[in-house]
Amino acid sequence: VQYNIAVAGATGAVGQEFLTLLEARNFSVGKLKLLASARSAGTTLNFKGKPYKVEELKADSFQDCDIAFFSAGGDRSKEFAPHAAKAGAVVIDNSSAFRMDKDVPLVVPECNPDAVMQHKNIIANPNCSTIQMVVALKPIHMQFGIKRVRVATYQAVSGTGQSAIEEMENQIRQYTKGEMVTHKLYPKQILFNLIPHVDVFLEDGYTKEEMKMVHETRKIMDAPAMEISATCVRVPVFRSHSEAIWIETDKPITPDAALAVWEKAPGIKIINRKEPGGYPTPLEVTKSYDTYVGRVRQDIACRNGLSFWCVADQLYKGAALNDLKSDPYIRECLDYWRQLFGEEIQKIEKALFLS
Ligand code: A2P
Ligand code: 11C
């Protein structure tokens, strides 16, 4: 079977990765439509060695489309995703537009592949910093029951989009030429700096990014009472987000017991040696499909506590890859989940376009 695909936001940081991954993972693509703003209409992008013209995203862009990937910002999703869904496409939306909508499944295949079955033509992809965290938390939650999570993030500039990559590149150029370093997109210079602010501020002093990590995690893990607090920080890294995570569990937990769980869990790789370099960093996990954990240790500040470090390529696992559900990797996840869902798995496979 071939699927007619539309990519809304094809010229953006995540949109480009959709194309890379559709190609690299040999996704069965029939017709391909690349959509962006009027600014990019008429330019070309390559897919499998062939040039494709970028078209302006419009309400009638989705005739004959089977799957529409959206990564063009929340406002565009709100405006155009309903048109794509109405035209019969399954929308996989990367923005925050529909994530907390009770009729829209919020899916991370390693955590809640079953949720996809409830879709009414729109499936939401969580925020990137949420995705890597829940991949690590879910199997631990199943074994030990997590009651509290504290997290501090170290988020790469590509999370903001193509324009932020360009801003940091420009600052590098200015610095190496001895010019004054300027900034436009971020409120302060990001090069050689940190900015403890991701997405917009809310009334209580948290940012929207921090509250996405709270609400989305509860929805994906089906744990409405889990206590979660986040501090999200932008760092001068081009790609891949890192997180320091502290958890408190109902049952006693040890580093060895957690590592034994992660060894079997889908989507997780462990780099956990107590020596210089014995941990994952953003540079080395870039373009990897997995979520990495390391620095696993007892949290000595509470009972039943564990502290660890978690890194993933947020453009792949945190966005485009998490959306590409029809591949052998999903089968691996489904094998893991077969233990829990038994025969239901067939329905899930169908919903994931596998059968
Ligand atoms: P364009 O390149 O034409 O501006 P990023 O996350 O890297 O900032 O990318 C955002 C994506 O969303 C780009 O593909 C961008 O297209 C697209 N986009 C932004 N505004 C609009 C709009 N008004 N209509 C359609 N696509 C848009
Ligand atoms: C960042 N996590 O790193 C953001 C990008 O809600 O999908 C993704 C925002 C979102 O800035």
Side-chain angles (χ1 to χ4, degrees):
V1 194
Q2 289 201 316
Y3 299 101
N4 294 339
I5 305 284
V7 180
T11 50
V14 173
Q16 301 271 339
E17 300 303 337
F18 275 132
L19 299 180
T20 309
L21 288 172
L22 285 168
E23 187 165 340
R25 294 167 87 78
N26 225 358
F27 198 93
S28 183
V29 180
K31 286 188 221 151
L32 177 66
K33 210 169 220 193
L34 304 183
L35 305 164
S37 78
R39 294 180 294 276
S40 310
T43 58
T44 52
L45 290 172
N46 281 327
F47 180 71
K48 291 194 171 171
K50 263 177 54 190
Y52 285 79
K53 266 219 159 63
V54 176
E55 296 171 38
E56 185 181 351
L57 171 62
K58 290 190 178 149
D60 64 1
S61 298
F62 301 94
Q63 298 329 317
D64 278 345
C65 173
D66 297 311
I67 308 171
F69 294 109
F70 270 74
S71 197
D75 290 343
R76 258 71 62 197
S77 292
K78 278 192 196 131
E79 185 176 352
F80 296 105
H83 290 288
K86 207 162 161 216
V90 173
V91 172
I92 301 184
D93 182 36
N94 250 291
S95 80
S96 56
F98 307 106
R99 288 178 188 151
M100 299 315 295
D101 188 327
K102 67 174 176 32
D103 288 330
V104 175
L106 184 63
V107 182
V108 176
E110 294 86 344
C111 298
N112 60 340
D114 53 311
V116 88
M117 288 163 60
Q118 272 105 48
H119 85 76
K120 296 176 179 155
N121 277 19
I122 301 182
I123 300 168
N125 192 66
N127 177 33
C128 41
S129 34
T130 309
I131 293 179
Q132 68 185 75
M133 183 167 84
V134 295
V135 169
L137 293 187
K138 177 74 191 204
I140 298 290
H141 184 53
M142 281 157 66
Q143 296 280 336
F144 301 95
I146 296 175
K147 56 182 183 193
R148 188 166 294 124
V149 181
R150 294 188 175 88
V151 54
T153 70
Y154 307 75
Q155 296 184 221
V157 294
S158 51
T160 311
Q162 197 56 42
S163 48
I165 299 174
E166 284 158 22
E167 175 145 315
M168 193 161 87
E169 281 172 348
N170 192 39
Q171 291 179 353
I172 294 168
R173 264 192 302 273
Q174 290 173 324
Y175 176 80
T176 48
K177 284 190 193 157
E179 293 171 1
M180 199 174 86
V181 176
T182 58
H183 60 90
K184 200 161 102 197
L185 188 67
Y186 289 125
K188 303 201 183 208
Q189 176 182 324
I190 185 69
L191 185 67
F192 307 132
N193 207 0
L194 303 168
I195 303 178
H197 162 201
V198 179
D199 210 332
V200 296
F201 274 92
L202 306 174
E203 196 55 36
D204 61 4
Y206 279 90
T207 63
K208 193 173 164 200
E209 182 82 354
E210 289 161 352
M211 294 317 291
K212 283 184 247 174
M213 295 191 79
V214 176
H215 299 306
E216 295 178 16
T217 299
R218 288 179 179 156
K219 179 169 173 176
I220 297 160
M221 307 234 304
D222 194 18
M226 194 177 279
E227 293 174 290
I228 306 165
S229 170
T231 298
C232 292
V233 182
R234 187 74 63 195
V235 297
V237 164
F238 277 116
R239 182 164 170 160
S240 298
H241 287 356
S242 307
E243 299 177 350
I245 303 175
W246 295 259
I247 57 171
E248 284 180 58
T249 51
D250 293 321
K251 292 188 200 153
I253 188 167
T254 62
D256 282 348
L259 288 162
V261 168
W262 279 325
E263 255 155 35
K264 292 204 198 86
I268 295 268
K269 284 224 163 72
I270 300 167
I271 304 180
N272 187 53
R273 300 188 310 278
K274 296 167 196 155
E275 61 186 36
Y279 36 75
T281 59
L283 265 188
E284 67 204 287
V285 316
T286 286
K287 304 230 166 169
S288 165
Y289 294 164
D290 292 302
T291 295
Y292 287 73
V293 292
R295 298 293 325 276
V296 183
R297 59 214 191 277
Q298 205 81 52
D299 181 356
I300 53 174
C302 65
R303 261 169 85 93
N304 300 348
L306 192 82
S307 178
F308 64 99
W309 177 244
C310 172
V311 193
D313 183 328
Q314 99 288 355
L315 292 179
Y316 271 13
K317 183 55 199 158
L321 176 69
N322 196 60
D323 293 356
L324 291 177
K325 302 195 161 59
S326 179
D327 61 28
Y329 172 66
I330 297 301
R331 288 181 192 280
E332 212 181 283
C333 296
L334 288 173
D335 279 344
Y336 179 80
W337 282 87
R338 205 176 296 273
Q339 306 154 16
L340 295 184
F341 292 104
E343 291 183 355
E344 284 290 290
I345 210 76
Q346 274 175 3
K347 286 195 227 155
I348 298 171
E349 285 180 342
K350 216 171 205 147
L352 289 167
F353 313 107
L354 285 170
S355 49

